[in-house]
Amino acid sequence: MITRTTGNRLHDGVIVGSTDNDDSQELVTVTQMMNMPRVQTCTVAECGYNHDGCTAFAITIGSLSTAECDTFIGSGEQGGMGVATAQVGACKRADCTYNQNLECRAPAITVGASGDKADCLTYAQG
């Protein structure tokens, strides 16, 4: 059983900690987290999170005018979780076919170079 916790700590996909009476809301939250779309491919070698794939825990897509990967960092810094399992945490492109309530509903996305930026190549204006 998944339960709500005081500290909202997640360990191996299971909520741990003390409980309250709102188990159903926590189950929805954990299920949504587990269903976040993966960054299938990122070809932007200059990004500090790209080490044989995107190693950020989650990325943010979009600005008001582009489908830019807002998580991109090209300063020579290296970051990430060490494993290429990034997910789309948020998407600001409300006009995208895959966007529902500012959350990406695509099964997976591809990030690639666009000028000097990294863009969501899965973006489709809807």
Side-chain angles (χ1 to χ4, degrees):
M1 177 168 107
I2 296 177
T3 58
R4 186 177 176 96
T5 68
T6 307
N8 287 333
R9 294 179 309 152
L10 185 66
H11 179 69
D12 292 334
V14 178
I15 300 295
V16 295
S18 62
T19 64
D20 66 16
N21 293 327
D22 195 12
D23 295 348
S24 62
Q25 180 60 39
E26 198 65 39
L27 178 59
V28 169
T29 301
V30 171
T31 301
Q32 287 171 335
M33 288 172 55
M34 292 172 57
N35 291 325
M36 292 167 54
R38 297 271 180 217
V39 177
Q40 184 84 27
T41 307
C42 179
T43 60
V44 184
E46 300 80 25
C47 181
Y49 287 106
N50 192 347
H51 315 287
D52 297 319
C54 185
T55 62
F57 178 74
I59 67 169
T60 298
I61 296 296
S63 66
L64 297 176
S65 61
T66 67
E68 183 178 317
C69 177
D70 286 347
T71 311
F72 171 82
I73 183 161
S75 67
E77 295 289 326
Q78 286 201 356
M81 304 289 293
V83 180
T85 57
Q87 303 171 75
V88 180
C91 179
K92 299 177 190 177
R93 292 307 309 257
D95 65 339
C96 181
T97 300
Y98 300 108
N99 192 311
Q100 182 180 354
N101 300 318
L102 300 178
E103 299 291 332
C104 182
R105 299 294 180 222
I109 71 160
T110 299
V111 175
S114 177
D116 63 345
K117 305 285 184 186
D119 284 352
C120 175
L121 302 181
T122 307
Y123 166 78
Q125 189 171 9

